[in-house]
Amino acid sequence: MNIEVEIKADTRRRVAAVAKRTGLSESEIIAEALEHGHSLEWQERFADKVAAGIKAADREEFASEVDIERIRTKYRDA
């Protein structure tokens, strides 16, 4: 289904920026908002958190060895 909607220029720029950061199309960004209730603001914050996590991992600040071992053994059979 194709629907035409007029969107303000500022909102179009924000959608385009989120699309570029996430690798999704602009249509996918809008569909995510409509289908799952993920507002544009929510998607922007999510992309910020993902980017921050990737930077932390690149700095090897993502998880300590203790954290990793705890997760590895958490579901291991006793």
Side-chain angles (χ1 to χ4, degrees):
M1 168 191 284
N2 289 326
I3 298 174
E4 278 191 45
V5 178
E6 288 195 32
I7 299 175
K8 294 178 184 178
D10 180 58
T11 303
R12 285 196 311 265
R13 282 191 292 275
R14 290 173 62 201
V15 168
V18 172
K20 183 176 181 180
R21 291 178 68 193
T22 62
L24 299 172
S25 71
E26 293 176 14
S27 293
E28 289 171 313
I29 298 300
I30 294 168
E32 183 74 17
L34 294 172
E35 294 171 9
H36 302 289
H38 293 155
S39 69
L40 185 54
E41 181 181 351
W42 182 94
Q43 293 182 61
E44 289 167 331
R45 286 192 320 263
F46 181 79
D48 290 342
K49 289 177 184 179
V50 169
I54 291 170
K55 287 179 183 177
D58 287 344
R59 293 188 308 267
E60 297 182 1
E61 296 173 357
F62 189 68
S64 69
E65 291 296 324
V66 172
D67 293 334
I68 293 169
E69 186 59 26
R70 185 177 60 242
I71 292 169
R72 285 181 35 152
T73 60
K74 183 175 183 175
Y75 299 103
R76 200 176 279 169
D77 291 339

